[in-house]
């Protein structure tokens, strides 16, 4: 029996497998059960873990001792504290975030593009590490409701559920450095990865959403891209009705044919 699960670390899954084996045992006979759990999409798992650590670290850095409810109001002390912070000080990443970074790079380097859509996108779009991480941040709201709530909190606007280019750049490093790295790569200007189309640089306060059809495909819907109306205009998903007629004809060129070509119905 083969099971497909989103998280093979769940205790409930292991307990269910043990119960299944125990119930199938025959009294008086030995029974050997081999249970093998495989993570079929390790790059997706590593990406979710990286997002979890990155957003958790960012939320933990937001001060809450000044008495202002985040997302509803801001006190003078909080604003001054934010302005007094050294730009780029979050570059000294904690150990758990460094480990998540390394695990993500390792998973991306070894992922099979035939199995993992994220790996296929990274290779097909020729994404640099900063490009790939920006793609993951744009995909974060689709992966976990908790990520949506973190984004709203970090934007100081709780109802918001989609991050901005400015927020994501700050999470990855200095906004100017990230923008410069993205410009050198040029992947986002060549491909319509985000809503708005290629060739349109994102402003700092602009919501950055992964194209919805691409997002569905990255999460495992193999037909999502073909269902995109922009793509369907260029594709014929069904055979041309008259294609069967062409297979009924063969072209023969006998050596003694006076016309050089003899069409015959077969």
């Amino acid at each position: 029996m083969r099971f497909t699960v989103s998280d093979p670390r769940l205790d409930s899954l292991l307990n269910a497998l043990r119960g299944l084996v125990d119930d199938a045992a025959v009294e008086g006979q030995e029974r050997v059960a081999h249970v093998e759990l495989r993570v079929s999409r390790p790059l997706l798992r590593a990406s979710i873990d990286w997002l979890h650590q990155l957003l958790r670290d960012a939320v933990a850095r937001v001060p809450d001792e000044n008495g202002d409810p985040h997302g509803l109001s801001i006190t003078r002390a909080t604003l001054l504290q934010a302005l007094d912070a050294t730009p780029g000080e979050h570059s000294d990443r904690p150990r758990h975030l460094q480990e998540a970074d390394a695990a993500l790079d390792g998973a991306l380097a070894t992922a099979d593009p035939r199995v993992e859509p994220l790996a296929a996108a990274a290779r097909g779009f020729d994404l640099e590490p900063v490009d790939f991480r920006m793609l993951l941040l744009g995909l974060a709201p689709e992966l976990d409701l908790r990520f949506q709530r973190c984004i709203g909190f970090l934007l100081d606007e709780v109802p918001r559920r989609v991050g901005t280019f400015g927020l994501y750049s700050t999470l990855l490093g200095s906004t100017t450095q990230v923008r410069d790295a993205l410009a050198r790569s040029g992947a986002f200007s060549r491909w319509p990865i985000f809503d708005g189309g290629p060739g349109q640089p994102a402003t700092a306060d602009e919501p950055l959403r992964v194209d919805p059809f691409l997002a569905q495909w990255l999460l495992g819907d193999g037909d999502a891209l073909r269902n995109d109306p922009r793509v369907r205009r260029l594709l014929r998903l069904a055979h041309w009705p008259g294609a069967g007629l062409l297979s009924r004809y063969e072209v023969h060129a006998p050596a003694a044919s006076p016309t050089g070509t003899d069409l015959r119905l077969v």
Side-chain angles (χ1 to χ4, degrees), residues 1-21 35-39:
M1 301 178 67
R2 177 176 296 177
F3 297 88
T4 301
V5 294
S6 59
D7 190 348
R9 297 174 297 180
L10 293 175
D11 291 337
S12 58
L13 171 64
L14 297 177
N15 292 333
L17 290 174
R18 294 189 190 99
L20 186 65
V21 173
V35 177
E36 182 177 0
L37 299 179
R38 296 182 179 180
V39 179

Side-chain angles (χ1 to χ4, degrees), residues 106-187:
L108 180 58
T110 59
D112 186 351
R114 297 169 297 179
V115 177
E116 297 245 36
L118 279 172
R123 178 174 298 182
F125 295 141
D126 194 20
L127 299 182
E128 298 292 335
V130 65
D131 299 322
F132 185 69
R133 283 163 170 76
M134 186 66 76
L135 170 64
L136 293 182
L137 284 167
L139 191 63
E142 306 292 336
L143 295 172
D144 197 316
L145 175 63
R146 295 173 298 174
F147 295 165
Q148 296 182 21
R149 300 176 68 181
C150 288
I151 289 170
F153 179 83
L154 293 172
L155 287 172
D156 200 14
E157 191 174 347
V158 174
R160 292 279 293 270
R161 290 292 184 264
V162 178
T164 62
F165 179 82
L167 172 63
Y168 293 159
S169 297
T170 302
L171 292 175
L172 294 177
S174 166
T175 300
T176 54
Q177 292 176 352
V178 170
R179 190 181 286 276
D180 182 60
L182 295 176
R184 288 198 306 270
S185 167

Side-chain angles (χ1 to χ4, degrees), residues 37-216:
L37 299 179
R38 296 182 179 180
V39 179
S40 58
R41 298 175 66 181
L43 178 56
L44 178 60
R45 182 73 261 170
S47 299
I48 294 174
D49 289 342
W50 176 78
L51 286 168
H52 177 91
Q53 297 294 347
L54 183 71
L55 293 174
R56 189 184 187 284
D57 179 70
V59 170
R61 290 175 181 271
V62 176
D64 61 356
E65 65 273 8
N66 295 321
D68 55 330
H70 206 70
L72 299 177
S73 65
I74 183 169
T75 63
R76 177 175 176 271
T78 298
L79 187 57
L80 290 176
Q81 186 175 11
L83 290 173
D84 289 341
T86 304
E89 66 177 5
H90 66 285
S91 59
D92 298 329
R93 296 177 177 244
R95 183 177 182 83
H96 63 270
L97 191 50
Q98 294 178 6
E99 293 173 350
D101 263 321
L104 180 62
D105 288 334
L108 180 58
T110 59
D112 186 351
R114 297 169 297 179
V115 177
E116 297 245 36
L118 279 172
R123 178 174 298 182
F125 295 141
D126 194 20
L127 299 182
E128 298 292 335
V130 65
D131 299 322
F132 185 69
R133 283 163 170 76
M134 186 66 76
L135 170 64
L136 293 182
L137 284 167
L139 191 63
E142 306 292 336
L143 295 172
D144 197 316
L145 175 63
R146 295 173 298 174
F147 295 165
Q148 296 182 21
R149 300 176 68 181
C150 288
I151 289 170
F153 179 83
L154 293 172
L155 287 172
D156 200 14
E157 191 174 347
V158 174
R160 292 279 293 270
R161 290 292 184 264
V162 178
T164 62
F165 179 82
L167 172 63
Y168 293 159
S169 297
T170 302
L171 292 175
L172 294 177
S174 166
T175 300
T176 54
Q177 292 176 352
V178 170
R179 190 181 286 276
D180 182 60
L182 295 176
R184 288 198 306 270
S185 167
F188 295 151
S189 62
R190 293 191 302 268
W191 303 102
I193 296 175
F194 297 103
D195 268 356
Q200 301 180 15
T203 58
D205 62 341
E206 180 180 349
L208 205 62
R209 295 183 177 90
V210 175
D211 178 87
F213 291 97
L214 176 59
Q216 292 179 35

